[in-house]
Amino acid sequence: MPAFRAALGDPEGFPDCLLGVDFLGCGDRPLDIAIRCGPPHFVAALIAAGADPRAGAADGFPPLFQAIDAPREDRHAVLAVLLRAGADTEQRGLNDGTALHHAVWRRDIVAVRMLLAHGADITARTRIDDLSTPLEDAEAMGFAEAVALMRPAPSPPRARR
């Protein structure tokens, strides 16, 4: 951890600080960098050191969204670290969607399963654009696997007496 902090220029507020903030207020946190390219145990170590797995993101990509999009084969292991650390499955990001919306939009069935297992709300509705739920988006996209996971099973018929 000290080497990573030094490599970042010993920023004040490490590990929960913004780096390279642009005119829109966008920037990376050390956790963002780790989510994209650090091993899962390093992501966990940053969180243990004080990085916030619920951090907001001016660019629309809070930690869970970044893990879903991470260009890495072990992205689901990183997603699991964030979820175990208390990342908010209902946090809003890109297009006012939740992480479950994002996983559906990316057609990532593993992430959909993981988010549902951590209580993600299938009825959360975006408040802009299509005003849709993750289930409605999955149905519109023809993402049958996700629909099957989110649609409640029909009740068995009642036996007649």
Short mmCIF file of all heavy atoms in Angstrom, two decimals, residues 32-66:
data_model
loop_
_atom_site.label_atom_id
_atom_site.label_comp_id
_atom_site.label_asym_id
_atom_site.label_seq_id
_atom_site.Cartn_x
_atom_site.Cartn_y
_atom_site.Cartn_z
N ASP A 32 -10.77 3.27 -7.76
CA ASP A 32 -11.15 3.16 -9.17
C ASP A 32 -10.03 2.51 -9.98
O ASP A 32 -10.27 1.64 -10.82
CB ASP A 32 -11.46 4.54 -9.76
CG ASP A 32 -12.57 5.28 -9.04
OD1 ASP A 32 -13.47 4.61 -8.49
OD2 ASP A 32 -12.52 6.52 -9.02
N ILE A 33 -8.81 2.93 -9.72
CA ILE A 33 -7.65 2.38 -10.42
C ILE A 33 -7.51 0.89 -10.11
O ILE A 33 -7.31 0.07 -11.00
CB ILE A 33 -6.37 3.16 -10.04
CG1 ILE A 33 -6.49 4.62 -10.50
CG2 ILE A 33 -5.13 2.49 -10.62
CD1 ILE A 33 -5.47 5.55 -9.90
N ALA A 34 -7.67 0.55 -8.83
CA ALA A 34 -7.55 -0.85 -8.42
C ALA A 34 -8.66 -1.71 -9.04
O ALA A 34 -8.41 -2.85 -9.44
CB ALA A 34 -7.58 -0.96 -6.90
N ILE A 35 -9.87 -1.17 -9.11
CA ILE A 35 -10.98 -1.93 -9.71
C ILE A 35 -10.67 -2.25 -11.17
O ILE A 35 -10.93 -3.36 -11.64
CB ILE A 35 -12.31 -1.14 -9.60
CG1 ILE A 35 -12.78 -1.12 -8.15
CG2 ILE A 35 -13.38 -1.72 -10.53
CD1 ILE A 35 -13.93 -0.15 -7.86
N ARG A 36 -10.09 -1.32 -11.87
CA ARG A 36 -9.78 -1.54 -13.29
C ARG A 36 -8.58 -2.45 -13.50
O ARG A 36 -8.55 -3.21 -14.46
CB ARG A 36 -9.55 -0.21 -13.99
CG ARG A 36 -10.82 0.58 -14.23
CD ARG A 36 -10.63 1.73 -15.19
NE ARG A 36 -9.60 2.67 -14.81
CZ ARG A 36 -9.79 3.72 -14.00
NH1 ARG A 36 -10.99 3.95 -13.48
NH2 ARG A 36 -8.79 4.53 -13.71
N CYS A 37 -7.58 -2.38 -12.61
CA CYS A 37 -6.37 -3.13 -12.94
C CYS A 37 -5.61 -3.74 -11.77
O CYS A 37 -4.53 -4.29 -11.97
CB CYS A 37 -5.43 -2.26 -13.77
SG CYS A 37 -5.02 -0.68 -13.04
N GLY A 38 -6.14 -3.69 -10.56
CA GLY A 38 -5.46 -4.30 -9.43
C GLY A 38 -6.07 -5.65 -9.09
O GLY A 38 -7.24 -5.90 -9.39
N PRO A 39 -5.32 -6.52 -8.45
CA PRO A 39 -5.89 -7.81 -8.06
C PRO A 39 -6.99 -7.63 -7.01
O PRO A 39 -6.98 -6.65 -6.26
CB PRO A 39 -4.69 -8.59 -7.51
CG PRO A 39 -3.67 -7.57 -7.18
CD PRO A 39 -3.92 -6.38 -8.05
N PRO A 40 -7.93 -8.56 -6.95
CA PRO A 40 -9.02 -8.44 -5.98
C PRO A 40 -8.56 -8.23 -4.54
O PRO A 40 -9.16 -7.45 -3.81
CB PRO A 40 -9.78 -9.77 -6.14
CG PRO A 40 -9.51 -10.18 -7.54
CD PRO A 40 -8.10 -9.74 -7.82
N HIS A 41 -7.47 -8.88 -4.15
CA HIS A 41 -7.00 -8.69 -2.77
C HIS A 41 -6.52 -7.27 -2.52
O HIS A 41 -6.61 -6.76 -1.42
CB HIS A 41 -5.93 -9.73 -2.38
CG HIS A 41 -4.61 -9.53 -3.04
ND1 HIS A 41 -4.31 -10.08 -4.26
CD2 HIS A 41 -3.53 -8.82 -2.65
CE1 HIS A 41 -3.08 -9.72 -4.60
NE2 HIS A 41 -2.58 -8.95 -3.65
N PHE A 42 -6.03 -6.60 -3.56
CA PHE A 42 -5.61 -5.21 -3.41
C PHE A 42 -6.82 -4.29 -3.29
O PHE A 42 -6.82 -3.34 -2.52
CB PHE A 42 -4.71 -4.78 -4.58
CG PHE A 42 -4.09 -3.43 -4.37
CD1 PHE A 42 -3.17 -3.21 -3.37
CD2 PHE A 42 -4.45 -2.37 -5.18
CE1 PHE A 42 -2.59 -1.97 -3.17
CE2 PHE A 42 -3.89 -1.11 -4.99
CZ PHE A 42 -2.95 -0.92 -3.98
N VAL A 43 -7.88 -4.59 -4.03
CA VAL A 43 -9.13 -3.85 -3.90
C VAL A 43 -9.62 -3.96 -2.46
O VAL A 43 -9.99 -2.97 -1.83
CB VAL A 43 -10.19 -4.37 -4.90
CG1 VAL A 43 -11.55 -3.73 -4.65
CG2 VAL A 43 -9.74 -4.12 -6.34
N ALA A 44 -9.59 -5.18 -1.92
CA ALA A 44 -10.02 -5.41 -0.53
C ALA A 44 -9.12 -4.66 0.45
O ALA A 44 -9.61 -4.09 1.44
CB ALA A 44 -10.02 -6.90 -0.22
N ALA A 45 -7.83 -4.63 0.19
CA ALA A 45 -6.89 -3.93 1.08
C ALA A 45 -7.16 -2.42 1.09
O ALA A 45 -7.09 -1.77 2.14
CB ALA A 45 -5.45 -4.22 0.67
N LEU A 46 -7.45 -1.85 -0.07
CA LEU A 46 -7.78 -0.41 -0.14
C LEU A 46 -9.05 -0.11 0.65
O LEU A 46 -9.12 0.89 1.37
CB LEU A 46 -7.95 0.04 -1.59
CG LEU A 46 -6.68 0.39 -2.34
CD1 LEU A 46 -6.97 0.57 -3.82
CD2 LEU A 46 -6.05 1.65 -1.78
N ILE A 47 -10.03 -0.97 0.53
CA ILE A 47 -11.28 -0.77 1.28
C ILE A 47 -11.00 -0.88 2.78
O ILE A 47 -11.48 -0.06 3.56
CB ILE A 47 -12.37 -1.77 0.81
CG1 ILE A 47 -12.78 -1.42 -0.63
CG2 ILE A 47 -13.56 -1.74 1.75
CD1 ILE A 47 -13.63 -2.49 -1.31
N ALA A 48 -10.20 -1.86 3.16
CA ALA A 48 -9.84 -2.02 4.57
C ALA A 48 -9.09 -0.80 5.10
O ALA A 48 -9.20 -0.44 6.28
CB ALA A 48 -9.02 -3.28 4.77
N ALA A 49 -8.35 -0.13 4.21
CA ALA A 49 -7.59 1.06 4.60
C ALA A 49 -8.43 2.33 4.58
O ALA A 49 -7.94 3.41 4.92
CB ALA A 49 -6.38 1.23 3.67
N GLY A 50 -9.70 2.24 4.14
CA GLY A 50 -10.58 3.40 4.18
C GLY A 50 -11.18 3.85 2.87
O GLY A 50 -11.93 4.83 2.84
N ALA A 51 -10.89 3.17 1.77
CA ALA A 51 -11.52 3.52 0.50
C ALA A 51 -13.00 3.16 0.57
O ALA A 51 -13.37 2.13 1.12
CB ALA A 51 -10.84 2.78 -0.66
N ASP A 52 -13.84 4.02 0.03
CA ASP A 52 -15.29 3.86 0.15
C ASP A 52 -15.88 3.09 -1.03
O ASP A 52 -15.91 3.62 -2.15
CB ASP A 52 -15.93 5.24 0.24
CG ASP A 52 -17.43 5.20 0.46
OD1 ASP A 52 -18.01 4.10 0.60
OD2 ASP A 52 -18.03 6.29 0.51
N PRO A 53 -16.38 1.86 -0.81
CA PRO A 53 -16.98 1.12 -1.92
C PRO A 53 -18.33 1.70 -2.36
O PRO A 53 -18.90 1.25 -3.35
CB PRO A 53 -17.16 -0.29 -1.34
CG PRO A 53 -17.31 -0.07 0.12
CD PRO A 53 -16.43 1.13 0.45
N ARG A 54 -18.81 2.72 -1.66
CA ARG A 54 -20.08 3.39 -2.00
C ARG A 54 -19.83 4.80 -2.56
O ARG A 54 -20.76 5.59 -2.67
CB ARG A 54 -20.94 3.52 -0.75
CG ARG A 54 -21.38 2.21 -0.18
CD ARG A 54 -22.09 2.40 1.17
NE ARG A 54 -22.92 1.27 1.45
CZ ARG A 54 -24.25 1.29 1.49
NH1 ARG A 54 -24.91 2.39 1.32
NH2 ARG A 54 -24.92 0.19 1.74
N ALA A 55 -18.59 5.09 -2.90
CA ALA A 55 -18.23 6.43 -3.36
C ALA A 55 -19.06 6.84 -4.57
O ALA A 55 -19.32 6.03 -5.47
CB ALA A 55 -16.75 6.50 -3.71
N GLY A 56 -19.48 8.07 -4.59
CA GLY A 56 -20.19 8.61 -5.73
C GLY A 56 -19.25 8.80 -6.90
O GLY A 56 -18.03 8.69 -6.75
N ALA A 57 -19.81 9.07 -8.06
CA ALA A 57 -18.98 9.24 -9.25
C ALA A 57 -19.63 10.27 -10.16
O ALA A 57 -20.72 10.04 -10.70
CB ALA A 57 -18.82 7.92 -9.96
N ALA A 58 -18.96 11.39 -10.34
CA ALA A 58 -19.48 12.45 -11.20
C ALA A 58 -19.62 11.99 -12.65
O ALA A 58 -20.44 12.50 -13.40
CB ALA A 58 -18.58 13.68 -11.12
N ASP A 59 -18.83 10.98 -13.05
CA ASP A 59 -18.89 10.50 -14.42
C ASP A 59 -19.95 9.43 -14.65
O ASP A 59 -20.12 8.92 -15.75
CB ASP A 59 -17.53 9.98 -14.87
CG ASP A 59 -17.06 8.75 -14.09
OD1 ASP A 59 -17.77 8.31 -13.15
OD2 ASP A 59 -15.97 8.23 -14.42
N GLY A 60 -20.69 9.05 -13.58
CA GLY A 60 -21.75 8.05 -13.72
C GLY A 60 -21.30 6.62 -13.53
O GLY A 60 -22.09 5.70 -13.75
N PHE A 61 -20.05 6.43 -13.11
CA PHE A 61 -19.53 5.08 -12.95
C PHE A 61 -19.00 4.85 -11.53
O PHE A 61 -17.80 4.80 -11.30
CB PHE A 61 -18.43 4.80 -13.98
CG PHE A 61 -18.95 4.69 -15.37
CD1 PHE A 61 -19.01 5.82 -16.18
CD2 PHE A 61 -19.42 3.49 -15.88
CE1 PHE A 61 -19.52 5.75 -17.47
CE2 PHE A 61 -19.93 3.41 -17.17
CZ PHE A 61 -19.98 4.54 -17.97
N PRO A 62 -19.94 4.66 -10.56
CA PRO A 62 -19.50 4.33 -9.21
C PRO A 62 -18.86 2.94 -9.18
O PRO A 62 -18.87 2.23 -10.20
CB PRO A 62 -20.78 4.40 -8.38
CG PRO A 62 -21.89 4.27 -9.34
CD PRO A 62 -21.39 4.75 -10.67
N PRO A 63 -18.29 2.54 -8.06
CA PRO A 63 -17.51 1.30 -8.00
C PRO A 63 -18.17 0.05 -8.60
O PRO A 63 -17.52 -0.69 -9.35
CB PRO A 63 -17.23 1.13 -6.51
CG PRO A 63 -17.11 2.55 -6.02
CD PRO A 63 -18.20 3.27 -6.78
N LEU A 64 -19.43 -0.23 -8.29
CA LEU A 64 -20.04 -1.44 -8.85
C LEU A 64 -20.10 -1.39 -10.37
O LEU A 64 -19.87 -2.39 -11.05
CB LEU A 64 -21.44 -1.67 -8.27
CG LEU A 64 -21.50 -2.08 -6.80
CD1 LEU A 64 -22.95 -2.17 -6.33
CD2 LEU A 64 -20.78 -3.39 -6.56
N PHE A 65 -20.39 -0.24 -10.92
CA PHE A 65 -20.46 -0.08 -12.38
C PHE A 65 -19.07 -0.32 -12.99
O PHE A 65 -18.95 -0.96 -14.03
CB PHE A 65 -20.91 1.34 -12.75
CG PHE A 65 -22.38 1.61 -12.53
CD1 PHE A 65 -22.96 1.47 -11.28
CD2 PHE A 65 -23.17 2.04 -13.57
CE1 PHE A 65 -24.30 1.74 -11.07
CE2 PHE A 65 -24.52 2.32 -13.38
CZ PHE A 65 -25.09 2.16 -12.13
N GLN A 66 -18.05 0.22 -12.32
CA GLN A 66 -16.69 0.03 -12.82
C GLN A 66 -16.30 -1.44 -12.82
O GLN A 66 -15.64 -1.91 -13.75
CB GLN A 66 -15.70 0.82 -11.97
CG GLN A 66 -15.81 2.30 -12.17
CD GLN A 66 -14.74 3.01 -11.40
OE1 GLN A 66 -13.56 2.71 -11.54
NE2 GLN A 66 -15.13 3.95 -10.56
#
